[in-house]
Amino acid sequence: MSSQQTIRQFRIEIPQAQLDDLTDRLARTRWPDELPGTGRERGVPLGYMRELAGYWQHSYDWRKHEAQLNDIPQFTTTIDGQQIHFLHVRSPEPGALPLLLSHGWPGSVVEFLDVIGPLTDPRGHGGDPADAFEVVIPSLPGFGFSGPTSEPGWTTQRIALAFAELMHRLGYDRYGAQGGDWGAFITPELGRVDADHVVGLHLNAATMGFIPFGPPSPDDLAALTDAEKERLGRLQASTGGPGNGYFEIQAQRPQTLSYGLTDSPVGQLAWIVEKFSEWSHGPGLPDEVFGRDRLLTNVMLYWLTATAHSSARLYYETMHARSFGMAPVPVPTGVAVFAEDYAIRRYGERGHNIVAWSEFDTGGHFAAMEVPGLLTADVREFFRGLR
């Protein structure tokens, strides 16, 4: 293995000066005003942001969560000129199936912390040891410790090629892949670029390839179930309304956005928290659904690595490449549709080899964080026949 292909052990060791700088910036936040009588329709409310930022400044303990992350084996390697950071947790069970997990935006490897144990050690979590996986969880190029990217062109296809190379370097000749959000773009691409080695694909929070391009045809509309019509209505409201603003600015002007997010921790916090609020299914505020510390740890991976901009670049690169991988995906594919997802089976079947489809009346976009048990069970069931 050449020096460029070396896999290096990695530990997160944030200098104290960086944490002191964060505390100072939080203390000196220049707060905006807020019109009386307004609410979330205009964005994250001021009172909520003050409270959450105050907790971040005075009560959140990064060192505690840094230590917890460092309890998980972490590594880096260089692929296609880019540092790739990843978690790699082996299973105590012989014959465990390797499984690559891909996150999305504004997530990170933190999304998967609650599923690592059940996936790698089902025996120790009340499951069947025959369902064991060895998990590989990369930070997407441009995100967290895989960032920033240093050149243009990091599309979802290029990421899939890099992840296929990662699995090859780890010595895995057969593996499964799972992903949501951007991970649901990357995972089917793996089925295109590495079909000889990928035994199955499992998706959640799937959009591209699972929703209509433009208005659906009358025949499509007539064939939709009530649940699918409800999903289509939510999709149309989201893409045509204020909830899609983040997408437009990250796909068109990520550099302009980056100055505020990179300079202001509260700006970065609000930008991410809004999505965890809008895309969860559970009742209550996002820090109540996901846990305040878990939510802030995810934000910290963006803040400490200054990757607000390079993570947003994935939108720009992919949208401007105009080369969405629409070739059919031959690999067996399973889809989990949680309550806040949009995927519709008739559209997915046009380009994917769908062999399993599950629908849930709970759970949201960040299923591994919000409903880890449901996601784990669905992943186990899907891959049983593919080992």
Side-chain angles (χ1 to χ4, degrees):
M1 183 178 292
S2 71
S3 60
Q4 284 296 304
Q5 295 178 314
T6 300
I7 294 174
R8 303 169 291 273
Q9 289 190 329
F10 179 82
R11 282 183 60 83
I12 304 171
E13 296 177 329
I14 300 301
Q16 186 59 40
Q18 253 188 285
L19 303 181
D20 294 342
D21 174 71
L22 170 60
T23 300
D24 182 60
R25 287 172 183 266
L26 288 168
R28 293 186 298 106
T29 300
R30 187 183 183 196
W31 293 98
D33 70 335
E34 182 178 61
L35 290 173
T38 59
R40 291 184 177 272
E41 73 279 358
R42 293 176 182 249
V44 185
L46 177 61
Y48 178 66
M49 280 305 301
R50 280 186 174 276
E51 180 185 358
L52 191 55
Y55 179 87
W56 195 8
Q57 178 187 351
H58 298 294
S59 302
Y60 174 79
D61 182 359
W62 164 253
R63 293 301 186 200
K64 170 185 173 182
H65 299 285
E66 181 183 64
Q68 290 174 347
L69 288 168
N70 282 330
D71 284 340
I72 304 168
Q74 298 177 62
F75 305 86
T76 61
T77 191
T78 301
I79 301 176
D80 194 7
Q82 178 65 36
Q83 173 168 290
I84 303 296
H85 162 260
F86 61 99
L87 315 183
H88 186 198
V89 184
R90 298 188 182 275
S91 173
E93 303 295 341
L97 178 68
L99 181 66
L100 176 74
L101 301 172
S102 299
H103 66 81
W105 182 92
S108 68
V109 297
V110 169
E111 285 187 53
F112 296 109
L113 294 182
D114 289 335
V115 301
I116 292 174
L119 288 175
T120 58
D121 184 19
R123 186 194 304 268
H125 292 80
D128 185 342
D131 287 330
F133 298 91
E134 295 200 344
V135 299
V136 179
I137 311 175
S139 297
L140 302 192
F143 289 66
F145 298 107
S146 288
T149 44
S150 57
E151 62 180 11
W154 276 98
T155 62
T156 52
Q157 183 183 60
R158 187 173 176 183
I159 294 172
L161 288 166
F163 285 0
E165 171 62 19
L166 173 62
M167 297 302 277
H168 171 72
R169 287 189 191 178
L170 293 172
Y172 293 134
D173 188 58
R174 295 178 72 255
Y175 65 95
Q178 197 285 329
D181 188 79
W182 280 117
F185 283 64
I186 295 162
T187 301
E189 287 287 2
L190 276 164
R192 295 184 180 99
V193 305
D194 203 24
D196 290 343
H197 300 99
V198 179
V199 300
L201 311 171
H202 185 278
L203 311 175
N204 67 288
T207 52
M208 183 61 61
F210 293 85
I211 57 176
F213 272 120
S217 69
D219 287 345
D220 281 351
L221 280 175
L224 296 181
T225 66
D226 289 344
E228 291 169 339
K229 289 176 182 176
E230 188 274 334
R231 272 178 236 148
L232 180 62
R234 285 191 291 106
L235 172 66
Q236 292 171 333
S238 173
T239 56
N244 204 44
Y246 82 96
F247 186 104
E248 293 296 334
I249 193 169
Q250 296 196 149
Q252 302 297 338
R253 296 292 186 270
Q255 185 71 43
T256 303
L257 174 69
S258 71
Y259 300 109
L261 300 190
T262 306
D263 188 60
S264 168
V266 168
Q268 177 71 93
L269 178 63
W271 193 245
I272 290 178
V273 162
E274 181 177 72
K275 298 308 149 200
F276 275 84
S277 177
E278 292 179 345
W279 298 346
S280 66
H281 183 69
L285 297 168
D287 55 305
E288 296 169 340
V289 175
F290 300 103
R292 185 168 284 193
D293 279 17
R294 182 63 56 83
L295 187 64
L296 287 170
T297 300
N298 181 70
V299 172
M300 286 289 274
L301 291 193
Y302 285 81
W303 175 257
L304 295 172
T305 58
T307 51
H309 179 209
S310 58
S311 61
R313 279 199 289 258
L314 180 53
Y315 288 81
Y316 186 95
E317 299 293 349
T318 301
M319 295 305 116
H320 286 77
R322 302 191 183 282
S323 60
F324 294 110
M326 298 281 49
V329 182
V331 177
T333 299
V335 181
V337 184
F338 292 95
E340 293 296 319
D341 291 342
Y342 300 127
I344 295 173
R345 183 164 186 163
R346 66 184 294 104
Y347 296 110
E349 287 179 335
R350 294 172 183 176
H352 303 81
N353 178 17
I354 295 176
V355 299
W357 187 277
S358 304
E359 299 189 3
F360 300 91
D361 59 6
T362 188
H365 192 82
F366 306 96
M369 293 177 71
E370 188 173 352
V371 285
L374 290 180
L375 181 66
T376 297
D378 204 66
V379 169
R380 287 173 176 170
E381 182 175 356
F382 170 69
F383 281 103
R384 276 179 194 139
L386 301 173
R387 293 172 177 268

